[in-house]
Amino acid sequence: MSDHLNFDSIKAYNDFNNHPTLHPLVSVLDFSKAKPRRGPKMTFGIYTIILKEVQCGDLLYGKHTYDYQEGTLVFFGPGQVVDVSDKTEIYQPLGRGLTFHPDLILGTPLARQIDEYGFFSYNLSEALHLSPEEQQTILDLMSKIENELKRPVDKHSKKLIASSIGLFLDYCERFYDRQFITREHVNTGILGRFEELMNGYFNSEKPYALGLPSVAYFADELHLSANYFGDVVKKETGKSAQEYIQNKLIEIAKDKIFDANKSVKEIAFELGFKYPQHFNRLFKMKVGVTPGEYRGKE
């Protein structure tokens, strides 16, 4: 077996897990049917959701590892690469999975909504930890989809399957909302660290060298995926991470404007703006007046 597998089709993933293919674009898997194996490196071209019931070693996602314990739900979107740190240990996969090809949802409401489920871009360390009751809900929803796959295909099949997957993802979103609440102390720590990083950034030479900081920059500094970081900020503050950064920038700008020794243009460059007119536009949008008009109020 190759040490790097590409799963671009449902059949390829089913074959790897010793599972029959009932539908070419969607599958509900029972991983206990898979043969014992060592963990390969995997690239996904399909949406895959796994409820694990066995520890299988540390998974690698980007630069970070995650101790993949039982009772967690993880999400892989097309283009994601997953690896296992310990390739010597043989383990028996257990648990259930739902996987579907992007072509399945073409022309359905889910196709327009799929990008709203940000957890497909979360890091593995941001997996969804389910309560026993939540696990049962997930298993029931998988069974509902599986039962539909066992029926003869008719004109209703695609609509019903896509709707059931959408319901499944809506429940996942609900359970993530619960996890954000129950992990509030962790999220508060993230926001505190975010504030420190912003202060450090604007008090350094980085704005000159790197320009305006992005959401992705701070997420990387916090070892979080951009989507998860953005969701934490939104849940805790009601503002997007981008809006939070802009508000911080305007707060610092207001203080700098009262330094009569600096022109508005110089302040714009100090904050990381490439073009002063962009600073003027953002400032007026946030404050209601231009930087020059704000200075004149002193």
Side-chain angles (χ1 to χ4, degrees), residues 144-145 148 154 156-165:
K144 180 180 179 182
I145 297 170
E148 183 60 36
D154 58 30
H156 303 287
S157 299
K158 179 176 180 176
K159 179 180 178 181
L160 290 172
I161 293 171
S163 296
S164 295
I165 293 174

Side-chain angles (χ1 to χ4, degrees), residues 84-242:
V84 176
S85 58
D86 186 356
K87 296 183 180 297
T88 62
E89 182 181 354
I90 297 177
Y91 69 95
Q92 172 61 53
L94 292 173
R96 302 279 282 173
L98 168 64
T99 184
F100 58 97
H101 196 281
D103 288 353
L104 174 76
I105 62 175
L106 291 177
T108 71
L110 182 56
R112 297 188 293 273
Q113 299 167 359
I114 193 69
D115 289 339
E116 297 176 12
Y117 299 109
F119 40 73
F120 279 110
S121 299
Y122 286 1
N123 288 337
L124 287 169
S125 57
E126 300 148 2
L128 179 56
H129 301 274
L130 299 173
S131 69
E133 293 79 9
E134 291 169 346
Q135 287 186 53
Q136 190 56 55
T137 298
I138 291 299
L139 291 171
D140 290 344
L141 290 166
M142 285 185 176
S143 294
K144 180 180 179 182
I145 297 170
E146 186 176 33
N147 289 337
E148 183 60 36
L149 294 179
K150 293 177 179 178
R151 296 173 60 90
V153 176
D154 58 30
K155 65 178 183 179
H156 303 287
S157 299
K158 179 176 180 176
K159 179 180 178 181
L160 290 172
I161 293 171
S163 296
S164 295
I165 293 174
L167 179 62
F168 180 99
L169 297 177
D170 285 342
Y171 269 98
C172 293
E173 195 167 47
R174 167 186 272 185
F175 297 154
Y176 256 117
D177 281 349
R178 184 271 310 155
Q179 182 162 295
F180 281 126
I181 293 170
T182 56
R183 289 168 58 87
E184 186 175 3
H185 66 290
V186 176
N187 297 340
T188 301
I190 290 173
L191 285 179
R193 181 70 180 129
F194 179 28
E195 282 282 349
E196 291 175 4
L197 286 170
M198 284 194 294
N199 288 331
Y201 190 94
F202 288 114
N203 287 327
S204 71
E205 296 298 314
K206 289 181 179 178
Y208 284 112
L210 304 177
L212 292 172
S214 65
V215 173
Y217 170 84
F218 288 118
D220 189 59
E221 289 293 304
L222 291 165
H223 306 301
L224 300 171
S225 66
N227 275 5
Y228 185 85
F229 171 60
D231 287 346
V232 167
V233 175
K234 185 70 172 180
K235 300 291 183 187
E236 291 297 310
T237 70
K239 299 179 177 66
S240 70
Q242 182 63 34

